Amino acid sequence: MELEKNYRINSLFAFYQPLLTAKQNNYMQLYYGDDYSLGEIAEEFNVSRQAVYDNLRRTEKILESYEAKLHLYQEFTARNQQADEIQTYVAQHYPHDATLNRLVAGLEHLEEQ
């Protein structure tokens, strides 16, 4: 369960990072991206572990709030799933259609950007 939560928070952070403050960005990057402990972050910024913990929890709630309003991650996931289904169908039914395969690959490439 913790692994799923971390993956979700990292994904939301990737989408909404520009909307966060510099301190929120730093704490989230160090904790979720660089695997720093609360104590290491607290030492880095000369604050208490509790301050770091509180900031991380508030930021997680902010990220969830952004997602609830904007649905960027949810829509990205749905588009990727649909693209995967299309790619599988094309590979099974039209493996020799170079143009169709190129178009599907181009669609997936756009989604990765």
Side-chain angles (χ1 to χ4, degrees):
M1 187 62 137
E2 187 68 24
L3 190 60
E4 290 175 18
K5 178 192 174 212
N6 286 350
Y7 180 79
R8 178 170 174 78
I9 294 298
N10 272 320
S11 297
L12 294 178
F13 182 58
F15 277 92
Y16 301 112
Q17 182 179 10
L19 302 175
L20 300 176
T21 67
K23 183 170 34 170
Q24 290 169 331
N25 267 304
N26 288 332
Y27 285 12
M28 293 294 288
Q29 179 60 47
L30 290 173
Y31 188 74
Y32 285 102
D34 299 336
D35 204 27
Y36 275 46
S37 69
L38 295 176
E40 290 170 323
I41 298 170
E43 188 176 314
E44 178 89 17
F45 290 95
N46 200 30
V47 297
S48 70
R49 289 178 77 249
Q50 187 64 43
V52 173
Y53 177 82
D54 291 344
N55 186 289
L56 288 169
R57 292 303 154 283
R58 269 193 312 275
T59 304
E60 289 170 6
K61 288 180 182 178
I62 289 168
L63 292 173
E64 291 289 357
S65 171
Y66 289 154
E67 177 61 13
K69 292 172 185 164
L70 301 172
H71 310 288
L72 296 179
Y73 176 64
Q74 177 186 348
E75 291 171 2
F76 173 80
T77 303
R79 283 190 309 271
N80 273 344
Q81 183 178 2
Q82 186 70 44
D84 288 345
E85 289 177 26
I86 292 169
Q87 185 177 39
T88 300
Y89 181 84
V90 168
Q92 289 174 352
H93 294 90
Y94 303 98
H96 304 295
D97 188 332
T99 301
L100 184 57
N101 281 285
R102 182 181 49 78
L103 291 170
V104 171
L107 179 64
E108 288 203 347
H109 179 71
L110 283 175
E111 196 60 43
E112 291 171 1
Q113 295 176 357

